[in-house]
Amino acid sequence: MKSGKGKKETEKSASMIDRRERSAYFARREAARVLRTVLRGDARRRAVGSIKSLVYSPSVRNKKGTFALVCQTLKHLPLLKDLLKKTDILKGKWKRQEELIFVVTYDILFGQASVTIGASEKFVLHQKNALESALAHLCAKKNVKHAEDLLLLNNTPNVSKPRYVRVNTLKLDVELALQQLKEAYKVKKDDMVPDLLVLPPGTDLHNHPLVMNGSLFLQGKASSMVAVALMPEPEWEVLDACSAPGNKTVHLAALIEGKGKIIAYELDKKRVKYLEDTVRKSGANNVDVIHGDFLETNIEDPLYSNIRAVLVDPSCSGSGTIAERLDHLLPSYIKGHTSDVDDAERVKKLAAFQRKALAHALSFPAVERVVYSTCSIFKEENEDVIKSVLPLAHSLNFELGTPFPRWPRRGLPVFDGAEHLLRMDPKEDKEGFFIALFVRKSIPSKSEKLSGRRQNPSSHLLGQRPKLKIVKRKRHCPFLKISQMLLYNEMNRLRYLKPSMKN
């Protein structure tokens, strides 16, 4: 008969095991939901976000466990599909839950979790012998000893890059952030970006208090270089043309020291929410979020008359961040879709939009600096876009500047002046990126502005004049509209009073 102490220890141990199993149970279902979104987006070639962004969204509770399950299931996916096909168990209602079956099968065959709860888990456990037999047969057929050797046949890249974090100087001093992080991590300042810190690869800061409260942003080096390249001055008004999720937007707000104003455009309604959340988290109170199409802004609108700098970071192929986004784990990458006709057509359409966006940015009357950036390695989205707008840029007194002159890798030599452009290489720098800076030598004279008003200078690239569209501006002051309404009503009241009654 067990003693009271021994019984309590047994109960405590059983309770801990039960908690771990329940945590694993929910992690598998969160992983299945993320996996479904990823696979459907990949099949349509329209990803809704990177694997990391989907896993680390607020809706996912067990982020670390879910991320590991998603990555490992994707890594094993070709093998899992082969085994499930050979055993013919993925049918009926289980076919409708195939993402969950993928995750559970991975966990039972290759994971380390103790699986005892869940209908899907019990179903796969019942088929475990058949699955292991199919795995052994496949290893023998491929002439390998272990399942890990089968994975090597896919030859997927393994990219190890430092963990970068940007200090949000609206909330925290760089030196203080460095001091606090040094208490638990090996950390140093970046040699290029003043407010960027570098930590060892694999450092997990997602749940760190400074990240949770917006004092630190998990932002890559290339992404952090963009706002610094634009180099806006305090008191400037700055326009961010394609803003969501907002890391570059709030970086701009920090660079102008919370002064001036940032106008942040975003066309996609769902991404507007991400943008607003980022702005709120950063503590920036000088950002106006506009849900609308940047290409439809009227450059003659007084709202934009004082815009001094524009950031154009448009939608792109993302070809420079395949490894960071974990795209190499997706079925389309494994099948070699990166060079097919569909992708070439997609890049062509993206480049057409990118040219329009950049041309429109250069056309604002008071703009002095414009930065164009992509996370693409394709010439069509980078040097070719810049070359196409150079005649317009020169006519408006712009010239190419040289962002980060000490950076060794510059633009491809496809036109005179390409050496001013900045490139990052996926092999050398662990990601591909592109930055171009336009600097205005002088603002056009009043007569030039008047003549320019007859037609938008970028209309030949836009294909038509931008449509006028009233967009709803998201402001942080809830009483602004009420105040405007009261003032309007009072003016109307006074308008109809007799002169003697106005006094």
Side-chain angles (χ1 to χ4, degrees), residues 462-494:
L462 292 171
Q464 60 180 7
R465 289 177 59 86
K467 299 176 184 177
L468 295 177
K469 180 180 179 182
I470 300 175
V471 294
K472 184 178 180 182
R473 299 180 65 192
K474 311 282 186 176
R475 294 185 181 272
H476 295 290
C477 178
F479 305 107
L480 180 62
K481 289 188 177 180
I482 297 174
S483 302
Q484 289 175 335
M485 188 181 298
L486 291 173
L487 178 62
Y488 179 77
N489 290 338
E490 180 65 14
M491 290 176 66
N492 273 343
R493 189 184 70 82
L494 292 173

PDB file of all heavy atoms in Angstrom, residues 462-494:
ATOM      1  N   LEU A 462       0.959  55.342 -65.437  1.00  0.00           N
ATOM      2  CA  LEU A 462      -0.227  54.855 -64.740  1.00  0.00           C
ATOM      3  C   LEU A 462      -1.291  54.362 -65.709  1.00  0.00           C
ATOM      4  O   LEU A 462      -2.151  53.573 -65.357  1.00  0.00           O
ATOM      5  CB  LEU A 462      -0.827  55.968 -63.869  1.00  0.00           C
ATOM      6  CG  LEU A 462       0.008  56.398 -62.669  1.00  0.00           C
ATOM      7  CD1 LEU A 462      -0.606  57.639 -62.041  1.00  0.00           C
ATOM      8  CD2 LEU A 462       0.110  55.299 -61.648  1.00  0.00           C
ATOM      9  N   GLY A 463      -1.211  54.834 -66.968  1.00  0.00           N
ATOM     10  CA  GLY A 463      -2.179  54.392 -67.951  1.00  0.00           C
ATOM     11  C   GLY A 463      -3.405  55.289 -67.973  1.00  0.00           C
ATOM     12  O   GLY A 463      -4.083  55.399 -68.965  1.00  0.00           O
ATOM     13  N   GLN A 464      -3.702  55.968 -66.887  1.00  0.00           N
ATOM     14  CA  GLN A 464      -4.818  56.893 -66.789  1.00  0.00           C
ATOM     15  C   GLN A 464      -4.587  57.782 -65.582  1.00  0.00           C
ATOM     16  O   GLN A 464      -3.774  57.506 -64.728  1.00  0.00           O
ATOM     17  CB  GLN A 464      -6.143  56.151 -66.646  1.00  0.00           C
ATOM     18  CG  GLN A 464      -6.191  55.263 -65.400  1.00  0.00           C
ATOM     19  CD  GLN A 464      -7.501  54.541 -65.290  1.00  0.00           C
ATOM     20  OE1 GLN A 464      -8.325  54.590 -66.171  1.00  0.00           O
ATOM     21  NE2 GLN A 464      -7.705  53.863 -64.190  1.00  0.00           N
ATOM     22  N   ARG A 465      -5.347  58.889 -65.538  1.00  0.00           N
ATOM     23  CA  ARG A 465      -5.232  59.765 -64.380  1.00  0.00           C
ATOM     24  C   ARG A 465      -5.767  59.043 -63.150  1.00  0.00           C
ATOM     25  O   ARG A 465      -6.764  58.325 -63.227  1.00  0.00           O
ATOM     26  CB  ARG A 465      -6.032  61.042 -64.607  1.00  0.00           C
ATOM     27  CG  ARG A 465      -5.428  61.958 -65.640  1.00  0.00           C
ATOM     28  CD  ARG A 465      -6.307  63.168 -65.864  1.00  0.00           C
ATOM     29  NE  ARG A 465      -6.508  63.933 -64.648  1.00  0.00           N
ATOM     30  CZ  ARG A 465      -5.671  64.869 -64.236  1.00  0.00           C
ATOM     31  NH1 ARG A 465      -4.584  65.118 -64.901  1.00  0.00           N
ATOM     32  NH2 ARG A 465      -5.932  65.544 -63.135  1.00  0.00           N
ATOM     33  N   PRO A 466      -5.119  59.224 -62.012  1.00  0.00           N
ATOM     34  CA  PRO A 466      -5.633  58.583 -60.798  1.00  0.00           C
ATOM     35  C   PRO A 466      -7.063  59.032 -60.503  1.00  0.00           C
ATOM     36  O   PRO A 466      -7.389  60.208 -60.610  1.00  0.00           O
ATOM     37  CB  PRO A 466      -4.675  59.061 -59.702  1.00  0.00           C
ATOM     38  CG  PRO A 466      -3.451  59.486 -60.425  1.00  0.00           C
ATOM     39  CD  PRO A 466      -3.904  59.980 -61.756  1.00  0.00           C
ATOM     40  N   LYS A 467      -7.927  58.103 -60.169  1.00  0.00           N
ATOM     41  CA  LYS A 467      -9.305  58.429 -59.835  1.00  0.00           C
ATOM     42  C   LYS A 467      -9.352  59.119 -58.467  1.00  0.00           C
ATOM     43  O   LYS A 467      -8.618  58.765 -57.567  1.00  0.00           O
ATOM     44  CB  LYS A 467     -10.147  57.164 -59.786  1.00  0.00           C
ATOM     45  CG  LYS A 467     -10.194  56.434 -61.107  1.00  0.00           C
ATOM     46  CD  LYS A 467     -10.974  55.135 -60.940  1.00  0.00           C
ATOM     47  CE  LYS A 467     -10.970  54.322 -62.219  1.00  0.00           C
ATOM     48  NZ  LYS A 467     -11.669  53.031 -62.043  1.00  0.00           N
ATOM     49  N   LEU A 468     -10.237  60.098 -58.372  1.00  0.00           N
ATOM     50  CA  LEU A 468     -10.442  60.737 -57.079  1.00  0.00           C
ATOM     51  C   LEU A 468     -11.264  59.805 -56.203  1.00  0.00           C
ATOM     52  O   LEU A 468     -12.264  59.246 -56.644  1.00  0.00           O
ATOM     53  CB  LEU A 468     -11.169  62.068 -57.263  1.00  0.00           C
ATOM     54  CG  LEU A 468     -10.406  63.150 -58.027  1.00  0.00           C
ATOM     55  CD1 LEU A 468     -11.280  64.374 -58.195  1.00  0.00           C
ATOM     56  CD2 LEU A 468      -9.121  63.511 -57.303  1.00  0.00           C
ATOM     57  N   LYS A 469     -10.841  59.648 -54.991  1.00  0.00           N
ATOM     58  CA  LYS A 469     -11.544  58.736 -54.080  1.00  0.00           C
ATOM     59  C   LYS A 469     -11.435  59.267 -52.666  1.00  0.00           C
ATOM     60  O   LYS A 469     -10.349  59.581 -52.193  1.00  0.00           O
ATOM     61  CB  LYS A 469     -10.932  57.337 -54.152  1.00  0.00           C
ATOM     62  CG  LYS A 469     -11.604  56.336 -53.235  1.00  0.00           C
ATOM     63  CD  LYS A 469     -10.942  54.988 -53.369  1.00  0.00           C
ATOM     64  CE  LYS A 469     -11.570  53.977 -52.454  1.00  0.00           C
ATOM     65  NZ  LYS A 469     -10.915  52.664 -52.536  1.00  0.00           N
ATOM     66  N   ILE A 470     -12.562  59.402 -52.023  1.00  0.00           N
ATOM     67  CA  ILE A 470     -12.556  59.827 -50.622  1.00  0.00           C
ATOM     68  C   ILE A 470     -12.316  58.597 -49.773  1.00  0.00           C
ATOM     69  O   ILE A 470     -13.081  57.630 -49.823  1.00  0.00           O
ATOM     70  CB  ILE A 470     -13.890  60.487 -50.238  1.00  0.00           C
ATOM     71  CG1 ILE A 470     -14.123  61.721 -51.121  1.00  0.00           C
ATOM     72  CG2 ILE A 470     -13.907  60.862 -48.768  1.00  0.00           C
ATOM     73  CD1 ILE A 470     -15.459  62.375 -50.909  1.00  0.00           C
ATOM     74  N   VAL A 471     -11.252  58.635 -49.020  1.00  0.00           N
ATOM     75  CA  VAL A 471     -10.931  57.495 -48.163  1.00  0.00           C
ATOM     76  C   VAL A 471     -11.150  57.884 -46.723  1.00  0.00           C
ATOM     77  O   VAL A 471     -11.045  59.044 -46.342  1.00  0.00           O
ATOM     78  CB  VAL A 471      -9.460  57.042 -48.365  1.00  0.00           C
ATOM     79  CG1 VAL A 471      -9.265  56.495 -49.743  1.00  0.00           C
ATOM     80  CG2 VAL A 471      -8.488  58.178 -48.096  1.00  0.00           C
ATOM     81  N   LYS A 472     -11.465  56.904 -45.941  1.00  0.00           N
ATOM     82  CA  LYS A 472     -11.712  57.123 -44.512  1.00  0.00           C
ATOM     83  C   LYS A 472     -10.383  57.086 -43.781  1.00  0.00           C
ATOM     84  O   LYS A 472      -9.695  56.068 -43.761  1.00  0.00           O
ATOM     85  CB  LYS A 472     -12.643  56.032 -43.973  1.00  0.00           C
ATOM     86  CG  LYS A 472     -13.023  56.240 -42.521  1.00  0.00           C
ATOM     87  CD  LYS A 472     -13.988  55.153 -42.073  1.00  0.00           C
ATOM     88  CE  LYS A 472     -14.378  55.333 -40.622  1.00  0.00           C
ATOM     89  NZ  LYS A 472     -15.276  54.279 -40.160  1.00  0.00           N
ATOM     90  N   ARG A 473     -10.020  58.209 -43.185  1.00  0.00           N
ATOM     91  CA  ARG A 473      -8.760  58.284 -42.465  1.00  0.00           C
ATOM     92  C   ARG A 473      -8.965  57.809 -41.035  1.00  0.00           C
ATOM     93  O   ARG A 473      -9.884  58.202 -40.347  1.00  0.00           O
ATOM     94  CB  ARG A 473      -8.229  59.714 -42.453  1.00  0.00           C
ATOM     95  CG  ARG A 473      -7.955  60.247 -43.828  1.00  0.00           C
ATOM     96  CD  ARG A 473      -7.429  61.649 -43.760  1.00  0.00           C
ATOM     97  NE  ARG A 473      -6.151  61.684 -43.109  1.00  0.00           N
ATOM     98  CZ  ARG A 473      -5.572  62.811 -42.714  1.00  0.00           C
ATOM     99  NH1 ARG A 473      -6.151  63.953 -42.866  1.00  0.00           N
ATOM    100  NH2 ARG A 473      -4.397  62.768 -42.124  1.00  0.00           N
ATOM    101  N   LYS A 474      -8.085  56.921 -40.598  1.00  0.00           N
ATOM    102  CA  LYS A 474      -8.159  56.382 -39.238  1.00  0.00           C
ATOM    103  C   LYS A 474      -7.356  57.294 -38.311  1.00  0.00           C
ATOM    104  O   LYS A 474      -6.139  57.383 -38.422  1.00  0.00           O
ATOM    105  CB  LYS A 474      -7.568  54.968 -39.188  1.00  0.00           C
ATOM    106  CG  LYS A 474      -8.108  54.051 -40.270  1.00  0.00           C
ATOM    107  CD  LYS A 474      -9.479  53.549 -39.912  1.00  0.00           C
ATOM    108  CE  LYS A 474      -9.958  52.520 -40.916  1.00  0.00           C
ATOM    109  NZ  LYS A 474     -11.231  51.934 -40.596  1.00  0.00           N
ATOM    110  N   ARG A 475      -8.041  58.003 -37.425  1.00  0.00           N
ATOM    111  CA  ARG A 475      -7.346  58.921 -36.532  1.00  0.00           C
ATOM    112  C   ARG A 475      -7.438  58.418 -35.097  1.00  0.00           C
ATOM    113  O   ARG A 475      -8.340  57.689 -34.735  1.00  0.00           O
ATOM    114  CB  ARG A 475      -7.941  60.322 -36.623  1.00  0.00           C
ATOM    115  CG  ARG A 475      -7.737  60.977 -37.990  1.00  0.00           C
ATOM    116  CD  ARG A 475      -8.247  62.403 -37.960  1.00  0.00           C
ATOM    117  NE  ARG A 475      -8.085  63.052 -39.237  1.00  0.00           N
ATOM    118  CZ  ARG A 475      -6.999  63.700 -39.598  1.00  0.00           C
ATOM    119  NH1 ARG A 475      -5.974  63.760 -38.783  1.00  0.00           N
ATOM    120  NH2 ARG A 475      -6.920  64.280 -40.783  1.00  0.00           N
ATOM    121  N   HIS A 476      -6.509  58.885 -34.286  1.00  0.00           N
ATOM    122  CA  HIS A 476      -6.476  58.463 -32.896  1.00  0.00           C
ATOM    123  C   HIS A 476      -7.374  59.327 -32.011  1.00  0.00           C
ATOM    124  O   HIS A 476      -7.570  59.032 -30.850  1.00  0.00           O
ATOM    125  CB  HIS A 476      -5.045  58.505 -32.362  1.00  0.00           C
ATOM    126  CG  HIS A 476      -4.146  57.530 -33.041  1.00  0.00           C
ATOM    127  ND1 HIS A 476      -4.258  56.177 -32.858  1.00  0.00           N
ATOM    128  CD2 HIS A 476      -3.139  57.707 -33.928  1.00  0.00           C
ATOM    129  CE1 HIS A 476      -3.349  55.544 -33.573  1.00  0.00           C
ATOM    130  NE2 HIS A 476      -2.662  56.454 -34.231  1.00  0.00           N
ATOM    131  N   CYS A 477      -7.882  60.471 -32.558  1.00  0.00           N
ATOM    132  CA  CYS A 477      -8.727  61.368 -31.765  1.00  0.00           C
ATOM    133  C   CYS A 477     -10.198  61.067 -32.032  1.00  0.00           C
ATOM    134  O   CYS A 477     -10.709  61.361 -33.108  1.00  0.00           O
ATOM    135  CB  CYS A 477      -8.434  62.826 -32.116  1.00  0.00           C
ATOM    136  SG  CYS A 477      -9.497  63.983 -31.221  1.00  0.00           S
ATOM    137  N   PRO A 478     -10.938  60.493 -31.071  1.00  0.00           N
ATOM    138  CA  PRO A 478     -12.322  60.093 -31.314  1.00  0.00           C
ATOM    139  C   PRO A 478     -13.290  61.269 -31.357  1.00  0.00           C
ATOM    140  O   PRO A 478     -14.427  61.105 -31.760  1.00  0.00           O
ATOM    141  CB  PRO A 478     -12.630  59.176 -30.119  1.00  0.00           C
ATOM    142  CG  PRO A 478     -11.730  59.660 -29.032  1.00  0.00           C
ATOM    143  CD  PRO A 478     -10.481  60.129 -29.715  1.00  0.00           C
ATOM    144  N   PHE A 479     -12.839  62.462 -30.896  1.00  0.00           N
ATOM    145  CA  PHE A 479     -13.752  63.601 -30.810  1.00  0.00           C
ATOM    146  C   PHE A 479     -13.629  64.532 -32.019  1.00  0.00           C
ATOM    147  O   PHE A 479     -14.333  65.525 -32.108  1.00  0.00           O
ATOM    148  CB  PHE A 479     -13.472  64.410 -29.535  1.00  0.00           C
ATOM    149  CG  PHE A 479     -13.518  63.574 -28.290  1.00  0.00           C
ATOM    150  CD1 PHE A 479     -12.347  63.248 -27.627  1.00  0.00           C
ATOM    151  CD2 PHE A 479     -14.726  63.070 -27.817  1.00  0.00           C
ATOM    152  CE1 PHE A 479     -12.379  62.454 -26.488  1.00  0.00           C
ATOM    153  CE2 PHE A 479     -14.758  62.284 -26.679  1.00  0.00           C
ATOM    154  CZ  PHE A 479     -13.591  61.969 -26.012  1.00  0.00           C
ATOM    155  N   LEU A 480     -12.744  64.203 -32.969  1.00  0.00           N
ATOM    156  CA  LEU A 480     -12.483  65.100 -34.092  1.00  0.00           C
ATOM    157  C   LEU A 480     -13.733  65.280 -34.947  1.00  0.00           C
ATOM    158  O   LEU A 480     -14.132  66.396 -35.263  1.00  0.00           O
ATOM    159  CB  LEU A 480     -11.338  64.553 -34.936  1.00  0.00           C
ATOM    160  CG  LEU A 480     -10.965  65.425 -36.147  1.00  0.00           C
ATOM    161  CD1 LEU A 480     -10.485  66.782 -35.676  1.00  0.00           C
ATOM    162  CD2 LEU A 480      -9.896  64.743 -36.990  1.00  0.00           C
ATOM    163  N   LYS A 481     -14.392  64.166 -35.308  1.00  0.00           N
ATOM    164  CA  LYS A 481     -15.565  64.257 -36.177  1.00  0.00           C
ATOM    165  C   LYS A 481     -16.712  64.986 -35.470  1.00  0.00           C
ATOM    166  O   LYS A 481     -17.463  65.739 -36.086  1.00  0.00           O
ATOM    167  CB  LYS A 481     -16.002  62.863 -36.613  1.00  0.00           C
ATOM    168  CG  LYS A 481     -15.040  62.231 -37.598  1.00  0.00           C
ATOM    169  CD  LYS A 481     -15.601  60.932 -38.145  1.00  0.00           C
ATOM    170  CE  LYS A 481     -14.661  60.344 -39.188  1.00  0.00           C
ATOM    171  NZ  LYS A 481     -15.186  59.078 -39.731  1.00  0.00           N
ATOM    172  N   ILE A 482     -16.874  64.757 -34.153  1.00  0.00           N
ATOM    173  CA  ILE A 482     -17.924  65.436 -33.388  1.00  0.00           C
ATOM    174  C   ILE A 482     -17.683  66.939 -33.395  1.00  0.00           C
ATOM    175  O   ILE A 482     -18.592  67.737 -33.604  1.00  0.00           O
ATOM    176  CB  ILE A 482     -17.977  64.908 -31.947  1.00  0.00           C
ATOM    177  CG1 ILE A 482     -18.353  63.412 -31.966  1.00  0.00           C
ATOM    178  CG2 ILE A 482     -18.965  65.685 -31.099  1.00  0.00           C
ATOM    179  CD1 ILE A 482     -18.288  62.748 -30.612  1.00  0.00           C
ATOM    180  N   SER A 483     -16.395  67.338 -33.185  1.00  0.00           N
ATOM    181  CA  SER A 483     -16.050  68.763 -33.168  1.00  0.00           C
ATOM    182  C   SER A 483     -16.345  69.405 -34.520  1.00  0.00           C
ATOM    183  O   SER A 483     -16.865  70.518 -34.605  1.00  0.00           O
ATOM    184  CB  SER A 483     -14.570  68.935 -32.820  1.00  0.00           C
ATOM    185  OG  SER A 483     -14.300  68.357 -31.572  1.00  0.00           O
ATOM    186  N   GLN A 484     -16.010  68.712 -35.610  1.00  0.00           N
ATOM    187  CA  GLN A 484     -16.247  69.241 -36.944  1.00  0.00           C
ATOM    188  C   GLN A 484     -17.744  69.414 -37.191  1.00  0.00           C
ATOM    189  O   GLN A 484     -18.188  70.400 -37.788  1.00  0.00           O
ATOM    190  CB  GLN A 484     -15.639  68.304 -37.986  1.00  0.00           C
ATOM    191  CG  GLN A 484     -14.117  68.328 -38.013  1.00  0.00           C
ATOM    192  CD  GLN A 484     -13.550  67.311 -38.977  1.00  0.00           C
ATOM    193  OE1 GLN A 484     -14.187  66.320 -39.275  1.00  0.00           O
ATOM    194  NE2 GLN A 484     -12.352  67.568 -39.464  1.00  0.00           N
ATOM    195  N   MET A 485     -18.541  68.463 -36.721  1.00  0.00           N
ATOM    196  CA  MET A 485     -19.991  68.517 -36.921  1.00  0.00           C
ATOM    197  C   MET A 485     -20.598  69.704 -36.170  1.00  0.00           C
ATOM    198  O   MET A 485     -21.446  70.434 -36.695  1.00  0.00           O
ATOM    199  CB  MET A 485     -20.622  67.201 -36.453  1.00  0.00           C
ATOM    200  CG  MET A 485     -22.113  67.079 -36.800  1.00  0.00           C
ATOM    201  SD  MET A 485     -22.807  65.530 -36.195  1.00  0.00           S
ATOM    202  CE  MET A 485     -21.809  64.382 -37.115  1.00  0.00           C
ATOM    203  N   LEU A 486     -20.168  69.913 -34.901  1.00  0.00           N
ATOM    204  CA  LEU A 486     -20.676  71.027 -34.099  1.00  0.00           C
ATOM    205  C   LEU A 486     -20.321  72.365 -34.727  1.00  0.00           C
ATOM    206  O   LEU A 486     -21.138  73.292 -34.784  1.00  0.00           O
ATOM    207  CB  LEU A 486     -20.132  70.933 -32.678  1.00  0.00           C
ATOM    208  CG  LEU A 486     -20.653  69.769 -31.826  1.00  0.00           C
ATOM    209  CD1 LEU A 486     -19.890  69.710 -30.509  1.00  0.00           C
ATOM    210  CD2 LEU A 486     -22.153  69.927 -31.560  1.00  0.00           C
ATOM    211  N   LEU A 487     -19.077  72.473 -35.229  1.00  0.00           N
ATOM    212  CA  LEU A 487     -18.639  73.710 -35.875  1.00  0.00           C
ATOM    213  C   LEU A 487     -19.455  73.979 -37.128  1.00  0.00           C
ATOM    214  O   LEU A 487     -19.888  75.102 -37.394  1.00  0.00           O
ATOM    215  CB  LEU A 487     -17.152  73.606 -36.222  1.00  0.00           C
ATOM    216  CG  LEU A 487     -16.548  74.817 -36.952  1.00  0.00           C
ATOM    217  CD1 LEU A 487     -16.644  76.067 -36.070  1.00  0.00           C
ATOM    218  CD2 LEU A 487     -15.079  74.535 -37.294  1.00  0.00           C
ATOM    219  N   TYR A 488     -19.705  72.935 -37.908  1.00  0.00           N
ATOM    220  CA  TYR A 488     -20.477  73.067 -39.146  1.00  0.00           C
ATOM    221  C   TYR A 488     -21.905  73.534 -38.844  1.00  0.00           C
ATOM    222  O   TYR A 488     -22.447  74.428 -39.495  1.00  0.00           O
ATOM    223  CB  TYR A 488     -20.501  71.715 -39.869  1.00  0.00           C
ATOM    224  CG  TYR A 488     -21.283  71.708 -41.163  1.00  0.00           C
ATOM    225  CD1 TYR A 488     -20.755  72.252 -42.330  1.00  0.00           C
ATOM    226  CD2 TYR A 488     -22.558  71.155 -41.207  1.00  0.00           C
ATOM    227  CE1 TYR A 488     -21.479  72.243 -43.510  1.00  0.00           C
ATOM    228  CE2 TYR A 488     -23.293  71.144 -42.380  1.00  0.00           C
ATOM    229  CZ  TYR A 488     -22.740  71.686 -43.538  1.00  0.00           C
ATOM    230  OH  TYR A 488     -23.462  71.669 -44.690  1.00  0.00           O
ATOM    231  N   ASN A 489     -22.532  72.938 -37.812  1.00  0.00           N
ATOM    232  CA  ASN A 489     -23.899  73.314 -37.441  1.00  0.00           C
ATOM    233  C   ASN A 489     -23.977  74.758 -36.956  1.00  0.00           C
ATOM    234  O   ASN A 489     -24.918  75.493 -37.258  1.00  0.00           O
ATOM    235  CB  ASN A 489     -24.434  72.373 -36.361  1.00  0.00           C
ATOM    236  CG  ASN A 489     -24.691  70.976 -36.892  1.00  0.00           C
ATOM    237  OD1 ASN A 489     -24.854  70.803 -38.100  1.00  0.00           O
ATOM    238  ND2 ASN A 489     -24.724  69.989 -36.008  1.00  0.00           N
ATOM    239  N   GLU A 490     -22.954  75.172 -36.180  1.00  0.00           N
ATOM    240  CA  GLU A 490     -22.937  76.537 -35.663  1.00  0.00           C
ATOM    241  C   GLU A 490     -22.781  77.551 -36.790  1.00  0.00           C
ATOM    242  O   GLU A 490     -23.436  78.594 -36.814  1.00  0.00           O
ATOM    243  CB  GLU A 490     -21.800  76.699 -34.646  1.00  0.00           C
ATOM    244  CG  GLU A 490     -21.676  78.095 -34.044  1.00  0.00           C
ATOM    245  CD  GLU A 490     -22.893  78.483 -33.190  1.00  0.00           C
ATOM    246  OE1 GLU A 490     -23.701  77.582 -32.839  1.00  0.00           O
ATOM    247  OE2 GLU A 490     -23.052  79.677 -32.879  1.00  0.00           O
ATOM    248  N   MET A 491     -21.941  77.242 -37.786  1.00  0.00           N
ATOM    249  CA  MET A 491     -21.747  78.143 -38.931  1.00  0.00           C
ATOM    250  C   MET A 491     -23.043  78.276 -39.730  1.00  0.00           C
ATOM    251  O   MET A 491     -23.406  79.356 -40.201  1.00  0.00           O
ATOM    252  CB  MET A 491     -20.628  77.623 -39.821  1.00  0.00           C
ATOM    253  CG  MET A 491     -19.231  77.734 -39.188  1.00  0.00           C
ATOM    254  SD  MET A 491     -17.943  77.011 -40.222  1.00  0.00           S
ATOM    255  CE  MET A 491     -18.009  78.136 -41.618  1.00  0.00           C
ATOM    256  N   ASN A 492     -23.751  77.168 -39.893  1.00  0.00           N
ATOM    257  CA  ASN A 492     -25.029  77.211 -40.612  1.00  0.00           C
ATOM    258  C   ASN A 492     -26.065  78.046 -39.856  1.00  0.00           C
ATOM    259  O   ASN A 492     -26.864  78.782 -40.438  1.00  0.00           O
ATOM    260  CB  ASN A 492     -25.555  75.795 -40.822  1.00  0.00           C
ATOM    261  CG  ASN A 492     -24.994  75.185 -42.098  1.00  0.00           C
ATOM    262  OD1 ASN A 492     -24.496  75.902 -42.955  1.00  0.00           O
ATOM    263  ND2 ASN A 492     -25.086  73.872 -42.214  1.00  0.00           N
ATOM    264  N   ARG A 493     -26.051  77.906 -38.514  1.00  0.00           N
ATOM    265  CA  ARG A 493     -27.010  78.667 -37.701  1.00  0.00           C
ATOM    266  C   ARG A 493     -26.781  80.166 -37.850  1.00  0.00           C
ATOM    267  O   ARG A 493     -27.710  80.946 -38.052  1.00  0.00           O
ATOM    268  CB  ARG A 493     -26.897  78.256 -36.236  1.00  0.00           C
ATOM    269  CG  ARG A 493     -27.986  78.834 -35.349  1.00  0.00           C
ATOM    270  CD  ARG A 493     -27.757  78.452 -33.895  1.00  0.00           C
ATOM    271  NE  ARG A 493     -26.591  79.130 -33.337  1.00  0.00           N
ATOM    272  CZ  ARG A 493     -26.631  80.391 -32.870  1.00  0.00           C
ATOM    273  NH1 ARG A 493     -27.765  81.085 -32.883  1.00  0.00           N
ATOM    274  NH2 ARG A 493     -25.540  80.936 -32.399  1.00  0.00           N
ATOM    275  N   LEU A 494     -25.504  80.560 -37.774  1.00  0.00           N
ATOM    276  CA  LEU A 494     -25.172  81.975 -37.881  1.00  0.00           C
ATOM    277  C   LEU A 494     -25.464  82.524 -39.276  1.00  0.00           C
ATOM    278  O   LEU A 494     -25.804  83.697 -39.441  1.00  0.00           O
ATOM    279  CB  LEU A 494     -23.699  82.194 -37.536  1.00  0.00           C
ATOM    280  CG  LEU A 494     -23.315  81.946 -36.069  1.00  0.00           C
ATOM    281  CD1 LEU A 494     -21.801  82.037 -35.903  1.00  0.00           C
ATOM    282  CD2 LEU A 494     -24.005  82.960 -35.164  1.00  0.00           C
TER     283      LEU A 494
END
